[in-house]
């Protein structure tokens, strides 16, 4: 299973459309990119490198809300072991766009996150960030979604010291729990689901502040 497309933010900005004339994106700026990964939408790549806030939050959610395990190999490389192909594809996508799941223990997840700074070799610099995992609600056939409560570190670029609930799952289950299920944002999302992702496995990703 491969990451293809996404819609991000309250306006559902679409990424992943491909025309016949598009060339493969140069991903050499990311030292963690998987050799077999190919992508064509330069808008999404540049949004990741520049830390566009909604895009950064989207990929951090993918890198934090999962049950994937990591196997470290000789030479510093590593691979992911996931319970399902779609979970593996989402965590790998976060890695390839610069939001790298690097380690976990029962209480924390460590990410290597792309920075705006670029070195002399043309590669973006990365910073190590540790996120505290306060609670996990696993995916199952009844819930059809997974949630984690995360304490963000003080040096997170978008949400320093935030306490957030991150959730991903089936669109129907997410919609049932919205405070305003008829909001403009949901109407925009529903339209995107109908016209943009036909024939593709869908996850909806949301987050909310646990303090306010």
């Amino acid at each position: 299973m491969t990451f293809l497309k996404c819609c991000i933010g309250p306006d559902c900005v679409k990424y992943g459309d491909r025309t016949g004339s598009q060339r493969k994106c140069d991903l050499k700026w990311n030292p963690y990119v998987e050799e077999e990964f190919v992508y064509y939408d330069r808008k999404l790549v540049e949004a990741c490198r520049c830390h566009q806030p909604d895009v950064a939050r989207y990929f951090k959610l993918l890198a934090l809300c999962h049950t994937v395990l990591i196997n470290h190999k000789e030479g510093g490389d590593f691979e992911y072991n996931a319970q399902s192909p779609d979970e593996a594809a989402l965590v790998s996508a976060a890695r390839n766009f610069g939001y790298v799941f690097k380690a976990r223990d029962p209480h924390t997840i460590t990410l290597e996150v792309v920075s705006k700074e670029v070195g002399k070799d043309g590669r973006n610099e990365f910073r190590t960030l540790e996120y505290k995992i306060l609670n996990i609600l696993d995916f199952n056939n009844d819930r059809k979604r997974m949630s984690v409560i995360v304490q963000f570190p003080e040096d997170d670029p978008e949400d320093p010291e935030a306490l957030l609930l991150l959730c991903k799952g089936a669109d129907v289950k997410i919609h049932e729990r919205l405070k305003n299920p008829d909001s403009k944002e949901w109407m925009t999302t529903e339209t995107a689901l109908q016209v943009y992702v036909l024939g593709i496995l869908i996850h909806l990703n949301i987050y909310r502040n646990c303090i306010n």
Side-chain angles (χ1 to χ4, degrees), residues 145-161:
R145 65 193 187 281
M146 177 184 176
S147 305
V148 294
I149 298 176
V150 183
Q151 177 71 66
F152 278 48
E154 63 180 4
D155 50 350
D156 181 273
E158 284 72 41
D159 299 291
E161 298 185 304

Side-chain angles (χ1 to χ4, degrees), residues 54 70 75 81 89 108 180:
D54 286 333
I70 187 167
N81 290 330
T108 64
N180 183 2

